[in-house]
Amino acid sequence: MPISRVCVFCGSRPGARPSYADAAREMGSALAARGLGLVNGGGRVGLMGITSDAVLDGGGEAIGVMPQALIDREVGHREMTTLHVVETMHERKALMASLSDAFVAMPGGIGTLEELFEVWTWSVLGIHAKPVGLLNVDGYYDDLLRFLDGAVEQGFFHPQHRARLVSATSPEALLDQLASGDVPAAGNQ
């Protein structure tokens, strides 16, 4: 399946290391340079805002999806190409997923992890066949990747399901992996 839009899950804060913001800018620039649209939570703050700004600065499409309650707190990015306002977080995630052809998790907190695990689970269950990846900036996800590999070793999920989550240390390399279409089949192996 060709990719035209990538959903990027990431922190609504910039994080402790400047490399996280640098990676967000690189991701946004890479998406725009490849003609890929961005889908995200529509925030103007943190890595989310940095990624959106880089896409827009590169002349790309940036689509945000945000619940009204967050718009009311004035955290919505008003310069997005399109900013969809929904009522609930469930509606937000469903619309983000339907608008996207691939998913990337960059450094972020519990919300980023929750979004990542949900779309990865959907992939494993065969609800979608869209690629899912981690941008592992400065080893941010090293411990998580070790945990996931350990869960496979301990028999809690199949290696084929683990392989449905790819990772790379640069936006360009991750986007190349996602575009390759080399995603293992879903199902109960």
Side-chain angles (χ1 to χ4, degrees):
M1 166 196 331
I3 295 174
S4 61
R5 291 187 184 137
V6 177
C7 183
V8 176
F9 306 125
C10 59
S12 60
R13 299 179 61 162
R17 295 181 180 177
S19 58
Y20 302 146
D22 292 342
R25 275 189 285 282
E26 290 171 21
M27 177 59 78
S29 295
L31 289 170
R34 290 175 183 231
L36 299 174
L38 167 71
V39 176
N40 70 15
R44 65 174 167 74
V45 294
L47 299 184
M48 196 182 324
I50 293 168
T51 306
S52 298
D53 289 342
V55 167
L56 294 167
D57 290 347
E61 175 190 46
I63 299 172
V65 183
M66 183 169 276
Q68 183 65 53
L70 295 178
I71 294 288
D72 294 344
R73 291 186 201 165
E74 299 182 7
V75 296
H77 194 308
R78 303 289 183 177
E79 286 77 41
M80 300 293 278
T81 308
T82 306
L83 181 60
H84 296 278
V85 179
V86 296
E87 288 303 312
T88 70
M89 290 297 282
H90 292 293
E91 289 176 82
R92 178 192 212 182
K93 291 187 298 181
L95 183 54
M96 288 169 65
S98 72
L99 292 170
S100 304
D101 304 308
F103 304 93
V104 167
M106 293 180 42
I110 194 166
T112 299
L113 290 172
E114 187 270 334
E115 291 166 327
L116 165 69
F117 278 98
E118 184 168 54
V119 296
W120 184 24
T121 299
W122 292 350
S123 172
V124 167
L125 294 175
I127 293 170
H128 70 73
K130 301 172 184 181
V132 182
L134 285 176
L135 183 58
N136 192 15
V137 180
D138 281 346
Y140 184 79
Y141 284 116
D142 284 353
D143 290 336
L144 177 63
L145 292 167
R146 277 191 291 275
F147 170 81
L148 296 171
D149 291 339
V152 170
E153 290 171 14
Q154 295 301 313
F156 284 102
F157 65 105
H158 194 279
Q160 185 174 350
H161 297 160
R162 166 65 184 87
R164 293 185 71 75
L165 177 67
V166 299
S167 65
T169 58
S170 75
E172 290 288 349
L174 185 57
L175 291 173
D176 287 345
Q177 283 186 58
L178 296 175
S180 75
D182 189 21
V183 177
N188 297 326
Q189 279 76 30

